[in-house]
């Protein structure tokens, strides 16, 4: 069984920074793409940033230049450094990964961590 566990969500003032972390554990053979999604109240889940196992990244236009995604392949972790936070960044943030376990390649999600940007 695979688990993704996020941490780092908090209440922060506009202009502040937060760093989200996500750790994958279980019978993992390989992790391909890893990413962060978010869901604000009353809205659908949207991609924030993603990173391949080789380090290629892509970002939502709304976070380019402010957020940075990174990963540690040896530790099966992915992080999201969020700077210059805005109230519109308020959402539940979810970690996501394409993970190969014995006999199966599947998509896994974390439980989510709340980020609130407010003065």
């Amino acid at each position: 069984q695979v688990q993704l566990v996020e941490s780092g969500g908090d209440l922060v003032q506009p202009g502040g920074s937060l760093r989200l972390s996500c750790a994958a554990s279980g019978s993992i053979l390989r992790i391909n793409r890893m990413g962060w999604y978010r869901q604000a109240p009353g809205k659908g889940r949207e991609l924030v940033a993603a990173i391949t196992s080789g380090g290629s990244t892509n970002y939502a236009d709304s976070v380019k230049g402010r957020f940075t995604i990174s990963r540690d392949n040896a530790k099966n972790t992915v992080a999201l450094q969020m700077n210059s936070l805005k109230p519109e960044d308020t959402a539940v943030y979810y970690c996501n990964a394409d993970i190969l376990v014995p006999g199966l390649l599947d998509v896994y999600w974390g439980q989510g961590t709340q980020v609130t940007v407010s003065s």
Side-chain angles (χ1 to χ4, degrees):
Q1 185 176 359
V2 172
Q3 281 192 317
L4 296 180
V5 179
E6 301 110 331
S7 60
D10 206 344
L11 170 64
V12 63
Q13 292 188 345
S17 297
L18 278 178
R19 183 176 178 84
L20 305 182
S21 297
C22 173
S25 62
S27 302
I28 297 169
L29 298 178
R30 187 180 71 244
I31 301 179
N32 295 333
R33 178 181 175 275
M34 303 186 83
W36 289 94
Y37 288 70
R38 68 186 180 187
Q39 187 166 17
K43 295 187 177 181
R45 192 171 295 190
E46 64 173 354
L47 174 67
V48 176
I51 184 168
T52 68
S53 57
S56 297
T57 59
N58 65 286
Y59 296 90
D61 287 343
S62 59
V63 307
K64 283 180 180 176
R66 299 189 298 122
F67 291 10
T68 302
I69 189 170
S70 61
R71 64 187 284 174
D72 185 328
N73 290 332
K75 296 181 178 179
N76 291 336
T77 59
V78 63
L80 185 69
Q81 178 65 43
M82 305 186 294
N83 299 327
S84 302
L85 282 161
K86 304 175 180 180
E88 52 263 43
D89 294 318
T90 295
V92 178
Y93 284 69
Y94 297 90
C95 176
N96 161 279
D98 300 337
I99 298 176
L100 177 66
V101 300
L104 178 68
L105 175 65
D106 207 350
V107 179
Y108 294 86
W109 292 88
Q111 81 286 353
T113 185
Q114 177 70 47
V115 172
T116 302
V117 185
S118 175
S119 55

